[in-house]
Amino acid sequence: MTGTITATWRIEPVTPPRPKRHCSTCADSRLFHSSGKIRLNANGRRLDAWLIYKCETCDRTWNLPLVERAIVSSISEADLQAMHKSDPAWVREREFDLAMLGRHCDRVDIPPDLNVTKSINGARPEAWSVIALAIEAPRVTGQRLDRLLAGELGLTRSELHAMAKAGGLQMESVSGKALRKPVKGRVTLRFASARLSERQRVSLSRNVAQ
């Protein structure tokens, strides 16, 4: 077999991180989810802004501080407009700010659900010896790499670990434990056809970009 298939997977979480904190109505620690809405309060030249969260058990609201007693003139016009409109893209960036969330909650739950956009870079050769797969996850995810690969490629997790041990799956610039860790940043993988079973080759060829 000759040729290399070069593919890219773009990973985007479906559900934003969910802070877990005390809910005064439930009288216990509960998960909260973002409403996607910004609350603003202006007092003279100063502005406060919060992202509204809701308890997943009782719907009680909690306001995550975004801007506290800031002078309005110190805030960019783009940010002001985004907050006034609860701009979804602007809000999403704050929903994934784990450092900010961590300052106001007991812990942060990261849901595993993902959208995966696949593409082939160049033409797919009829016969291949290597699949070079780049996985790009610009946001934090709650999905382990082996679970993601198994689900998308039609393989089992045990197959993936066996492939890595036999050299059929190689990971660049990451430790050998990367398969068991959540997908994050950019990971480059190489599948070597010569070290794979026929079922694995067929499954990879069919699913790497579908």
Side-chain angles (χ1 to χ4, degrees):
M1 289 188 176
T2 60
T4 297
I5 296 175
T6 305
T8 301
W9 290 2
R10 177 85 174 181
I11 309 300
E12 181 68 26
V14 175
T15 305
R18 300 177 300 175
K20 188 173 185 180
R21 54 175 285 119
H22 183 78
C23 173
S24 57
T25 299
C26 296
D28 203 352
S29 186
R30 291 286 190 261
L31 287 172
F32 284 71
H33 66 269
S34 170
S35 70
K37 302 298 182 183
I38 301 294
R39 176 190 170 194
L40 298 174
N41 181 58
N43 186 353
R45 293 186 302 163
R46 296 190 178 273
L47 181 72
D48 292 288
W50 302 268
L51 175 56
I52 302 173
Y53 280 77
K54 292 185 177 182
C55 174
E56 294 198 344
T57 301
C58 72
D59 237 20
R60 183 180 181 86
T61 60
W62 162 64
N63 296 329
L64 171 68
L66 300 179
V67 176
E68 298 181 89
R69 306 299 294 162
I71 298 174
V72 174
S73 60
S74 70
I75 304 173
S76 72
E77 184 63 25
D79 283 342
L80 282 173
Q81 290 299 319
M83 287 189 286
H84 276 291
K85 298 177 181 178
S86 294
D87 179 74
W90 192 92
V91 169
R92 190 163 176 83
E93 291 299 321
R94 278 72 198 167
E95 292 171 340
F96 280 85
D97 188 336
L98 297 186
M100 180 170 59
L101 284 171
R103 293 194 293 269
H104 298 279
C105 65
D106 303 325
R107 68 175 177 85
V108 180
D109 175 76
I110 305 176
D113 48 334
L114 301 172
N115 280 328
V116 182
T117 304
K118 302 177 183 179
S119 62
I120 288 287
N121 306 323
R124 181 202 294 263
E126 292 185 5
W128 60 271
S129 56
V130 172
I131 291 178
L133 174 61
I135 299 177
E136 300 177 351
R139 301 187 194 276
V140 65
T141 75
Q143 182 79 273
R144 278 175 39 155
L145 179 57
D146 57 358
R147 189 179 295 276
L148 169 70
L149 290 170
E152 296 296 327
L153 296 174
L155 302 171
T156 67
R157 281 188 287 168
S158 60
E159 279 184 293
L160 288 168
H161 288 280
M163 287 163 60
K165 187 175 182 179
L169 166 58
Q170 301 171 352
M171 292 170 284
E172 299 180 7
S173 303
V174 293
S175 71
K177 297 180 180 179
L179 281 173
R180 293 183 171 89
K181 294 183 178 181
V183 184
K184 181 181 179 182
R186 181 183 173 90
V187 180
T188 303
L189 312 172
R190 290 175 65 87
F191 296 91
S193 176
R195 295 178 179 267
L196 305 178
S197 70
E198 178 62 23
R199 190 190 88 80
Q200 292 167 348
R201 287 194 294 269
V202 170
S203 187
L204 283 164
S205 182
R206 177 185 302 123
N207 295 316
V208 71
Q210 294 180 356

